[in-house]
Amino acid sequence: MLSQVATPDECLRCGACCAHFRVSFYWAEADFIDEHLVEPLTPVYSCMRGTNQAQPRCQALKGEIGKEVGCSIYAVRSSACKEVQVADEQCNKARLAHQLIPLIEINPADSENDHDYDQVS
């Protein structure tokens, strides 16, 4: 399967997770989010408005998926939003649903012999 290496700013282009999953969280987290962006789900859980639909899209998501996106409440986003990480299983599931190439994350290996040397910035 074709894939591409994830970049640190990949989420600024993607946004697929915000338009694929229902974003539900413990109701008390909604205290930090504008009330017009939250809807009750159960007595214990709330969700981001727009994500509890057959074709979900969080109303806090701005922009075009796969091109350029942003979250209007990024600093106070829910714990459910924070759980999805670039190139993880959930990320790639959402990307595939939006016909975007899955991502792979490559972590640079630590060198075993450079601990006694200054790093060049």
Side-chain angles (χ1 to χ4, degrees):
M1 175 186 290
L2 183 63
S3 60
Q4 66 186 33
V5 175
T7 61
D9 63 345
E10 197 66 49
C11 293
L12 297 175
R13 286 189 297 276
C14 185
C17 60
C18 304
H20 183 70
F21 300 109
R22 181 179 69 201
V23 181
S24 56
F25 46 87
Y26 182 64
W27 67 269
E29 287 186 62
D31 287 347
F32 303 102
I33 302 171
D34 290 336
E35 65 181 52
H36 74 280
L37 292 173
V38 177
E39 65 181 74
L41 195 57
T42 71
V44 178
Y45 290 99
S46 294
C47 69
M48 293 302 298
R49 192 169 302 281
T51 66
N52 195 25
Q53 308 294 320
Q55 295 183 329
R57 182 181 169 110
C58 181
Q59 289 188 359
L61 180 66
K62 306 298 179 202
E64 185 179 348
I65 295 168
K67 304 273 184 192
E68 184 177 346
V69 295
C71 175
S72 65
I73 61 161
Y74 186 82
V76 294
R77 69 195 187 283
S78 74
S79 60
C81 298
K82 294 174 186 175
E83 288 176 10
V84 179
Q85 298 294 308
V86 174
D88 73 5
E89 183 179 345
Q90 295 295 79
C91 167
N92 283 325
K93 181 178 179 179
R95 287 180 63 83
L96 286 170
H98 286 275
Q99 291 79 45
L100 298 171
I101 297 171
L103 300 172
I104 56 173
E105 187 170 14
I106 297 178
N107 295 319
D110 291 331
S111 179
E112 294 179 17
N113 65 352
D114 68 357
H115 55 80
D116 290 334
Y117 299 96
D118 291 332
Q119 297 292 318
V120 177
S121 300

